[in-house]
Amino acid sequence: MSDERRNPVIAPGHTFATVTDKISAIVLTRKTPTHWLIPFAVASTLLMVFLWAVTYLFVRGVGIYGVKIPVGWGWDITNFVWWIGIGHAGTLISAILLLLHQTWRNSINRFAEAMTLFAVACAGMYPVLHLGRPWLFYWLFPYPNTMGIQPQFRSPLVWDVFAVSTYATVSLLFWYVGLIPDLATLRDRAKNHAARIIYGILAMGWRGAASHWQKYETASLLLAGIATPLVISVHTVVSFDFTVGIVPGWHSTIFPPYFVAGAIYSGFAMVLVLAIPLRAMYGLADMITPRHLDNCAKVMLATALIVAYSYVFEAFIAWYSGNPFEMYAIWNRMTGPYWPQYWLLIFCNLIFPQVLWLRKIRTSAFWLFIVSIDVLVGMWLERYVIIVVSLHRDFLPAAWGMYSGSIWDKATFLGTIGLFFFLFFLFIRSLPVISIFEVRTLLPEADVTEGVEK
Amino acid sequence: MSKPYQYLDLAAVRAHLGSSRGRDYWRSLEELAESEGFQDMLEREFPRQAAEWTNDTAGRRHFLKVMGASMALAGLGACTRQPIETIMPYVRQPEEVIPGKPLFFATAVPVAGIATGVLVESHMGRPTKVEGNPEHPASLGATDAIAQASVLDLYDPDRSQTLTYLGDIRPWSSFLGAAREALNAQIPKGGAGLRFLTGAITSPSLADQFRTLLAKYPAAKWHCYEPAGRYAQLAAARQAFGQPVNTYYRLASADVILALDSDFLCTGPTSVRYAADFASRRSVRGNQIAMSRFYAVESTATPTGAKADHRLPVRAADVEAFAAAVASSVAASGAAGSQTATGPHAAFIAALVKDLAQHRGTSVVIPGEYQSTAVHVLAHAINAALGNVGKTVVYTDPLDPNPVDDFESLRELGQDMDAGKVEMLVIAGGNPVYNAPADFGFTQRMSKVKLRIHMGLYADETSEFCQWHIPEAHFLETWSDARAYDGTITIMQPLIQPLYFGRSVHEMLAAFGETPSQSPYDIVKGYWNRQHPGADFEDWWRKAVHDGIVPNTALPAKTVALKTGAVTPPRPVEGQGIEIVFRPDPHVFDGRFANNGWLQELPKPLTKLTWDNAALVSPATAERLKLQNEDLVDLEYRGRKVRAPIWILPGHANDSVTVHLGYGRTRAGRVGNRAGFDAYALRTSDAPWFGSGLAIRKAGSKFTLASTQMHYDMMGRQIVISGTVEEYRKDPHFVKERAEEPPKELSLYPGYKYEGYAWGMAIDQTACVGCNACVVACQAENNIAVVGKDQVQKMRAMHWLRIDTYHKGSPDNPETYFQPLPCMQCENAPCELVCPVQATSHSSEGLNDMVYNRCVGTRYCANNCPYKVRRFNFFLYSDWNTPSLKLQRNPDVSVRSRGVMEKCTYCVQRISEAKIEAEKEDRTLKDGEVQTACQGVCPTQAIVFGDINDSSSRVAKLKAEQLNYSLLAELNTRPRTTYLAALRNPNPEIEKA
C-alpha cells in the first residue's frame, strides 16, 4: 500500500523498545522540562482565578454573572455545553474508532480520552455554579430522603444529570481500564520507590499474561460498546435542555443531530489543539503523524458540513413554518443587536474551515492549529447565539432585553480553561500521553501472520 | 379598703415618662410606684405581693425591675402597642385580637392636604397594608399608588426619630420651654413676629386650632405653600367667579370628556374616583355596547392621554389657544352663523365641538391641574356654555379653610423674612428650602429669622436651616381629620403609637395655646364634640371613626356665575423656541416620597423609568437636536442651569421638554439622596408650570437610566387585541379570531378535571389606566424586595405584576395600550415541565404553586415562561437587617432569600385564609370574598378574580364575554389569566393620524 508508506500511522524505524522508552521517558524523568513548567504555571494561575471567582460567587450570589430576566442563562450554560461538546471527540476516538478497527486512533486515544474526562469535569462545574442555591445541587439526584420527594423527571435538567454522570463514569472507567497495561509498564520501569508503589497499586497486578490480555480485550470491547451510544446520547440529552423549551430558536427538532455533530466538531478541534503542541514539545511527531492530522481534519470537515446543513435548514424551516416567532428569532440573529456574533459564528464554523478541503492545510500542523482554534471559537459562539440570542427576544416585546457577560462570567470561564489545562498537564507529567501498548500493535513487529516467524 | 379606688391615670403617667430619660425614667417609675393609684392597682392585681411591696425597699426595687418590662408592654415604654385611646377597628372589636388574624381600621391618606379614605390592615398592632374604603367617595374601595406606598413611610428607618436643637437631642419639655419663651415675647406685639408655614390643610380641627391661636396672636400670619398644589384651580376660581371655589367632576354622567392637559385619571386625590367613574362609562358588556368618548389634549404624554379616543399633542403654552378656540366655537355653536375655528387643529376642534354640543349637560371639560389659570377659566366658561354645571361639574366651597395662592403666600412670607419682621417661624410639614421657587431665595432668607422651628417626618433640607426639629407623627400614628375632594370628612385614627417620639401638628399648636398637654385624641374629639354636642356624641363618634367617613359632610354644591370679562383673550406665547414644562412626579410627587423605596422603584407610566427623573422630549424634537436616550444635557432657563438626562417619550408635544419635580434631593434619606436632578432649581414663581425660552446644550456624556421596558412595539403580534366599538358591534368575533386557542381535544392526554374551586382572573384592558396602584399593592402584600437602580438597570426588578405598555402607530402620536401582567397560572404551564426539583407544581384549584424552599435556582422555569412573569432573587434582595422594615412585612407571606424564584401566586395566602374561614363556617366561598391585592386596589376594577367554576361569579361572566381572549393562546398554555380586548370609541369625523 503506497498510501500507507507515504502516510504512515507511525514513523518507520520504531521497535517495541523504542516506543516504550520514548513515551515512558516523558513520565519517568527526574528533570521536569521548562516547556512543561511554564504552561503548568499559567494553568495554575488561571485555576486560582477560578477558585477566586467561585468563592465570590458562593459568597454573593449568582447575580455577579450577567444573567437577568429574560436571559436567565448566559455564559454559564454556554460554557457548560461547550465543554461537554468538546468531550465527545475523546469518546468517539476511544470507543467508536475502536469498534470500527481504525487503528490510527491508537496514538491519540489516550490523551483524547483524558481530554474528555477533564472537559467533563469542567463542564460539570457549571450545573452547580449557575444555581441560585448551589449548596442544594444534590436535590437533582434521586436519592432516598426524608422529604419524600424525587426530582421532577420530565425536566431535561434531570436527564442531564443522568447523562453527564453516566458519561463521566463510563469515560473514567474506559480510560482507566485502558491505562492498566501502561501503568504496569511504568511500575516496572520506574526508579522512584514511591512511583513504583503508586503505579503498582494502580496497575492492579497486571502481569501481561495472555489471560490478562484476553480479559482486557473483552472489557475494552464491552466498554467501547457502552461508550459508543453515549457519544450520541449525551449531547442529544444536552440539546434537550433547549428543544424541550418553548423559546423560539430553542424549540427545534434538528437540535439533537446538530448538537452531536457540533460536539464532535469542537471535540476534534480540541484534540488537534492539544495534539499539535504536544507532538512538537515532546517530539512525538513520529507517532502523531500527518496522517493523524489528516484524519482528524477530515472528521472535522465532515462534521462542519453537517453543522452547516443544520444552520441552513434551521433558517429555512423557520421561514417555511410561517411561525412569526420562529421567523423573527432567526431574523433577529442575523440582523438584530447580536448580528456580529452570528456572522462571526458563520465565518468561524462554516466559511473558514472550508480550507480543510485542501490536503496541504490538513497536513500542516500550523494551519490546522489555526483552524482548530477558529472552530473552538465558532462553536462557543454557536452556543452563545442559541442561548442568549433566543432568550433575549422571545414572545412578548415588553420583556425583551440585552445581555452581556460580566467580568465574573469571563473570569469563571478562563478559570475553567485553567482547570482543564492544570489537569491536563498533570496528566502529561504523570501518565503516558500515548497508549504505549496500543501503539506497539501498530509496529510491523506486531504483525504476526500464521506460519511466519519474525 | 374603705377608701375609694384611685385609678391610675395612664395618660398622665405616659406623658410624664415620655419626657424622662435614663435614670430620670427609673426615678419616674419609682414615683409612679409611690402614687396612690399605682398602689391601689397593685393591691387589686397582686394582693399578696402588695404587702411585701409597701414595707420593703429592696422588695420594691426588685418588683420594679420585674414589672418594668410588663409596664413597657402595658403602654408606658416606647415599643409597638395599640394606642391607649379607643380606636375603632373596621371589622371586629379590639378584644378580638387573634394572632394571625388581621384587623382593619378606617383612616385616610392625606396628600397635599386632601384625603382619600382607606382601610389599613393591621397585624398584631402593626399596620402592614393599605386598602381602599368602599364607603368613601374618593376611594370606593380602591387606592392609588401613593396611598399604597404610604405605609412604608411609617417604617422608614431614615425618618427623624428624635427632637433636636441644633443637632442635639432634647426632650419635648425643652422645646416647649423655648417656644413658650419666644411666644411670650410675641404677646405684647400681638404676634407680629410669629409666622406659620404649612402645606395645604383641610383638617377642620387643625383649622380650628389655628383660628384659636391666631385669635390669641392677631398679628401673626398663617402661610400655606404647596409646591404642587391646586393653586391654578383656586386662582382661576377667583378670576372666574370672584371667589375661591372647589371644583370637581361627576364623570359617571359624562358622555363626552375633553381633557385640557389633565392627567385626571392618574394624578391627584381625585384620580381614583375619576378613574372609577370614567371606566364605568367605558365598559362594554354583553348587550351594553355604548362607550363614552374622550378627547385629550396634552403636552406631556400621560396615561390619561393614552386612554383617550383622540389625543392631540399640544405644547403646554398652546393649550390656552386651543381652549379659547373651543370656547368660542362652543359659544357660537348655539347661535346662528356659527364661527368656525381656524388655525391648526381646526378640523379636530370642529368635530370636537360638534360632539360636545350634541351632549349638553352630559359633557365635561377638565382643565389640567398644572395648566395656567386662563385654561381653567376657559374650561369654566365652556362647561357653563354647555350646561354642564350641576350635572357633570360641581362647585363647592373650598376644601381648605385657609385658601391662599401658594406662591403669593410664600412670597409674602419671604418679603417679611427679608424685612426682618419674622422672629419666630414655625414650619409644620413642608420643605420650602428644597421646593420653594428658585427666584425666591428662600434658603438665604432663613438666616434672617431668629427662631426657626421645623416639624416634619424627616430631618430634611429645611430642618438643616432650623434650630428646632421636631419629628412628626406619620398619619398612621396620630389622630386627625381631613377632607376628601368633595368635602367628605374622615376622622383619621392612628393604628400604632408613634414609633419614634413623633408629635402631630395638633399637639404642637395645642402646646402653643392655652391647653398645652392636650393629646391629639382630645383635640380632635374635643373639636367634634363641639360640632355635635349632645348625648349621642359617643355613639356618633364611634360610628364615624369606625366607618371612616363623617356622614353628610360632602360640601354642598354651590351656585356661582361667571364674571363678565373673566375670560381674557389668550396671551401671545412669548418667544418661540422650546418650552419647559414642570410636573410633579407621578410617584414621588413633589419630592416628599423621595425616600420611599417602593415609589422610587415603581416604573413611571409610559417611560418606565425608575430611580431617576429625566428631561422628556418628543421623538421629532430629539431627532432635530440630535439627542438620544440617556444623553446628558444642560437645561438653561432664565439664567439658571441644571444638568439632566434625556428620555424620548413618544407622543410628547414637539418643542417642549417635561421635567419632573421631586428629585435631586440632598437630605431625603438613603433611598432618595442623589436620585435624579433637581427641577425646582429652574422653576420660577411667575410661571410655575411651564415657560418658554429653554435652551438645551449637550454635555457630551451619557447618564445611565434604569427603565424596565425597552421595546414598545407589538411587532405585529396579537398581544393587546384592540379595536373600536363600531368594529365590535359589527363583528363581535374579531377578538377570538385573532387569538385562536388550540382545541382541548388536540392532546392525547385527558385534561385534569378541576372540581371544587378553580381560580381565574380576567383583566379588562379597556379599563386599565396604567396608574400602577396594583403593582405597589402586590409589592406591599407579598413582601417584594426593592432591588435598587443598578439591579433594575440589569433587568432584575422584582415586581411580580408589571404593566406592559405598547405603542401602535406613529411615534409622534401613538395609540398606547396598557397590559397588566401577573402570572397567567397556566393549566399547561411550561415552567412546571422544566423545573428539575419540582419546586413549581400545579394545585388542584389551578394555581401554579411556587415552593420557595425547594427551589435551587436553575432559572429554567423563567427561561421557559413565554410571558416572563417569573422573578429571580439574583442576590439577597430582601432586607433582613433593618428592624423597622421587618414590621411592615406581611406575616402570611415568606420573605424570600437568595437564589429562589418567585412570582405572582394569585395571593394564595388570601385564598387560604378565606377557605379556612369558610370551612370553619361550613360553607363555600362567595364570589368577591377573596380579592387579590391587585384586584382590591384597582380604581377601575380592571382586574377581576374569582372562581371560574362558579358560573355566577364576575370572573366567569367576564370570561364568557366575546372580548375575552388568552394571551399567546396558540402556545396552548391555557392561561387562567385572560384579557378583555381594549376598545376605543373614536369620532368617525376625525381621521386618525
Side-chain angles (χ1 to χ4, degrees), chain A residues 55-107:
Chain A
T55 307
Y56 189 60
L57 172 71
F58 287 159
V59 165
R60 278 225 66 205
V62 78
I64 65 172
Y65 292 164
V67 285
K68 51 182 61 172
I69 305 290
V71 185
W73 290 347
W75 278 62
D76 45 5
I77 301 301
T78 305
N79 297 342
F80 165 68
V81 182
W82 188 75
W83 278 117
I84 283 276
I86 283 171
H88 280 59
T91 320
L92 188 149
I93 292 170
S94 298
I96 297 183
L97 294 183
L98 177 70
L99 294 177
L100 294 177
H101 301 295
Q102 297 295 305
T103 50
W104 58 270
R105 44 78 78 194
N106 286 0
S107 56

Side-chain angles (χ1 to χ4, degrees), chain B residues 244-293:
Chain B
V245 296
N246 171 44
T247 315
Y248 70 87
Y249 307 100
R250 292 209 183 104
L251 297 182
S253 318
D255 291 330
V256 179
I257 304 171
L258 168 65
L260 296 169
D261 211 5
S262 171
D263 189 19
F264 68 90
L265 290 175
C266 294
T267 299
T270 48
S271 62
V272 173
R273 181 58 192 258
Y274 287 172
D277 287 346
F278 171 78
S280 70
R281 298 302 313 277
R282 307 278 289 176
S283 75
V284 170
R285 301 275 182 272
N287 292 326
Q288 195 287 100
I289 312 184
M291 278 174 78
S292 63
R293 184 164 289 140

Side-chain angles (χ1 to χ4, degrees), chain A residues 65 67 72-73 130 155 241 394, chain B residues 717 796 834 858-860 864:
Chain A
Y65 292 164
V67 285
W73 290 347
H130 91 289
S155 167
D241 284 349
D394 66 343
Chain B
R717 303 173 183 190
R796 295 169 176 178
V834 296
T858 62
R859 303 181 296 286
Y860 201 169
N864 217 29

